[in-house]
Amino acid sequence: MNDILPPDSAKLGVFERHCRQLFERYGYEEIRTPVLEHTALFARGIGEVTDIVEKEMYTFLDRKQRSLTMRPEMTASCVRAYIEHAVGKREPVTRWYYSGPMFRYERMQTGRYRQFYQIGVECFGVAEPTVEAEQIAMLVQLYDGLGVPALSTLVNSVGGAEDRPRYREALLAYLEPRASGLCADCQRRLATNPLRVLDCKVDAGSEVLAGAPRVLDSLTDTSRARFDAACQALTDLGVGFRIEPRLVRGLDYYTGMVFEIQSASPALGSQAALVGGGRYDELVESMGGPPTPAVGFALGVERGILALPGPAESFQPRPHLFLVCHGDAARRRALVLAHSLRISGLRIELEHRAVGVKAQFKRADKLRALAALVLGDDELASGRGKLRDMTSGQEREVALADLAAELTGGDSGGQPGE
Ligand code: HAM
């Protein structure tokens, strides 16, 4: 679990703002849910026999001996909220986005933490497979727009209720005779949840798994047609993608298309997955709600930040003006001037301590202030001062009373540099 300090927090803030603005363009609205939920919600929602539920949840008893869990993801919480507030009765289609900390007891490494931040979206009420394509296109736009390098979009289908028994049979017929080549956990999973063998972290890359039958080959015609329609929509949207038959994702609720967006950025180490998502048409009903098709994804914020080019400092907001003070009277006047300029929406830096002019300019440079103005006895007497552009070094004389307008290019309501 990490502290996130400036300047890293600035990079995180910019990334988060980008996501919000983009998702709102697609009609998603924010939902916030508690960090704690009843353990049963995740066990039922994510699946009893999954790595998350078996090994990774922070679970404890509260003072009344109720088992609670710190959310390892938000889809189950969104589904609970959707049912609890009968949202489906109020509107045919619901689009939510969320942002917040999640908790998983995982082995830590670059890009993998025990408290990490996810931003995600969930869309309820649309069965048409164009929604998953729209979500993927939105994500590619997000990462492309931010300059994240070497992206790849992987898609697959895990099939629905009709496909599962057939695939399970084919998979068991293949895996059972080869069980001795699997890890102890997977040998147990053969009896409980064989699909989970496919995304076992221990057996990943093993020869046994490499030869396993593919879900795509077991799909009914209807499921295959839905998958093809989603792929076609991706092509229509100009999104390049690769069908990855081994992609099954580590959560049990998926029913149709699943997807992952990865970046080959070396900053990510082995944790290349920026986003994971997919369709889960049976989850709402299985949790006690009305039959409701749904599809969504979550992205890892820390991984997004790692893959985002540029030093964290370049994401810090630059002050519009550093007021450099010379003498006590100037400092008193500067306090009031800075206050009124900040009310106009400007970012103003001010040195409260009695330090020299040179040191103040040094600080203005360090903070990458866009402009500086020296306030001393002369400026106080004349009501005028020299506004220095800190990039070009050029100075021009301005009336102190007009500073807000001067800094915003005549429009004192605007915010230059934003
Ligand atoms: P997930 O694949 O478990 O899916 O997580 C989504 C993303 O969260 C991952 O691709 C990764 O970027 C990030 N992530 C996961 N675990 C960690 C960790 N320990 N440290 C840092 N980042 C991590 C879900 O959570 C589903 N709820 C997604 C979804 C929403 N499916 C449908 N709707």
Side-chain angles (χ1 to χ4, degrees):
M1 298 185 184
N2 294 319
D3 297 316
I4 304 172
L5 306 180
D8 295 331
S9 54
K11 204 170 183 182
L12 192 146
V14 168
F15 182 72
E16 199 172 44
R17 260 201 310 282
H18 250 86
C19 292
R20 283 173 189 273
Q21 282 167 2
L22 180 64
F23 298 169
E24 283 171 7
R25 266 190 256 159
Y26 287 77
Y28 289 92
E29 294 179 284
E30 186 171 14
I31 174 172
R32 295 192 185 213
T33 65
V35 166
L36 291 178
E37 298 273 2
H38 288 290
T39 304
L41 174 75
F42 299 117
R44 284 177 53 204
I46 298 169
E48 299 272 4
V49 187
T50 55
D51 273 359
I52 295 181
V53 172
E54 284 185 331
K55 301 179 188 165
E56 297 171 0
M57 295 205 304
Y58 282 91
T59 296
F60 59 93
L61 295 177
D62 74 359
R63 289 172 187 275
K64 289 204 169 146
Q65 305 305 303
R66 289 170 295 211
S67 179
L68 301 182
T69 292
M70 296 169 76
R71 62 182 183 202
E73 59 109 52
M74 275 257 320
T75 308
S77 305
C78 287
V79 167
R80 178 199 49 70
Y82 182 83
I83 297 170
E84 195 173 313
H85 303 281
V87 179
K89 285 213 177 97
R90 279 190 272 129
E91 54 191 29
V93 176
T94 298
R95 289 196 190 87
W96 284 338
Y97 75 81
Y98 49 81
S99 169
M102 310 293 151
F103 304 85
R104 295 185 193 175
Y105 194 90
E106 291 201 80
R107 205 169 47 77
M108 288 163 296
Q109 58 189 92
T110 303
R112 190 156 79 191
Y113 313 103
R114 291 183 172 168
Q115 172 171 331
F116 59 98
Y117 290 82
Q118 274 189 348
I119 300 180
V121 314
E122 311 292 348
C123 173
F124 296 99
V126 183
E128 283 70 7
T130 37
V131 180
E132 36 273 54
E134 187 184 59
Q135 288 183 353
I136 294 170
M138 176 169 87
L139 283 162
V140 171
Q141 189 190 336
L142 172 77
Y143 291 109
D144 263 348
L146 288 167
V148 172
L151 292 176
S152 46
T153 302
L154 315 181
V155 301
N156 190 25
S157 173
V158 294
E162 289 156 27
D163 308 277
R164 285 284 168 77
R166 268 207 295 178
Y167 180 63
R168 192 187 150 101
E169 231 172 79
L171 189 62
L172 278 176
Y174 171 83
L175 287 177
E176 270 172 345
R178 298 169 175 82
S180 58
L182 297 172
C183 75
D185 271 347
C186 282
Q187 295 187 12
R188 184 175 47 79
R189 285 177 188 133
L190 281 183
T192 50
N193 193 354
L195 193 68
R196 289 280 69 88
V197 174
L198 296 178
D199 61 6
C200 172
K201 286 171 192 145
V202 179
D203 287 331
S206 77
E207 258 177 48
V208 178
L209 290 197
R214 301 154 16 128
V215 197
L216 277 179
D217 298 329
S218 302
L219 293 184
T220 60
D221 290 346
T222 320
S223 299
R224 180 74 210 199
R226 292 175 55 79
F227 179 65
D228 290 342
C231 292
Q232 182 58 51
L234 280 174
T235 305
D236 294 344
L237 286 163
V239 176
F241 63 93
R242 193 173 87 225
I243 296 175
E244 174 49 70
R246 310 255 161 255
L247 180 71
V248 287
R249 315 253 317 111
L251 306 105
D252 273 354
Y253 47 64
Y254 293 116
T255 52
M257 179 178 265
V258 289
F259 54 88
E260 231 169 70
I261 295 183
Q262 303 184 347
S263 161
S265 160
L268 287 171
S270 60
Q271 301 303 304
L274 297 171
V275 189
R279 183 165 276 283
Y280 52 98
D281 286 347
E282 293 155 21
L283 186 59
V284 177
E285 190 176 12
S286 78
M287 303 292 283
T292 310
V295 56
F297 65 76
L299 60 84
V301 174
E302 288 86 350
R303 291 184 197 180
I305 304 300
L306 282 169
L308 200 61
E313 287 78 8
S314 65
F315 292 83
Q316 286 179 302
R318 299 176 70 171
H320 297 118
L321 177 69
F322 196 112
L323 275 174
V324 176
C325 305
H326 189 49
D328 288 343
R331 244 190 318 281
R332 278 213 311 279
R333 175 72 211 284
L335 181 69
V336 178
L337 186 56
H339 185 63
S340 72
L341 291 172
R342 287 167 179 152
I343 288 170
S344 314
L346 293 159
R347 279 188 296 275
I348 309 297
E349 276 292 332
L350 178 67
E351 176 55 85
H352 287 260
R353 301 166 306 163
V355 300
V357 166
K358 213 169 144 194
Q360 292 181 64
F361 268 108
K362 222 168 142 187
R363 178 92 184 124
D365 262 335
K366 175 110 204 302
L367 295 171
R368 296 156 55 245
L370 295 164
L373 183 132
V374 179
L375 267 189
D377 291 342
D378 291 349
E379 287 77 11
L380 292 193
S382 66
R384 303 183 70 78
K386 288 208 181 87
L387 186 62
R388 180 189 297 190
D389 181 316
M390 291 295 281
T391 318
S392 65
Q394 278 177 353
E395 292 188 335
R396 66 194 159 97
E397 202 178 301
V398 297
L400 299 183
D402 297 339
L403 255 182
E406 294 283 350
L407 288 165
T408 53
D411 168 17
S412 58
Q415 299 197 23
E418 292 227 328

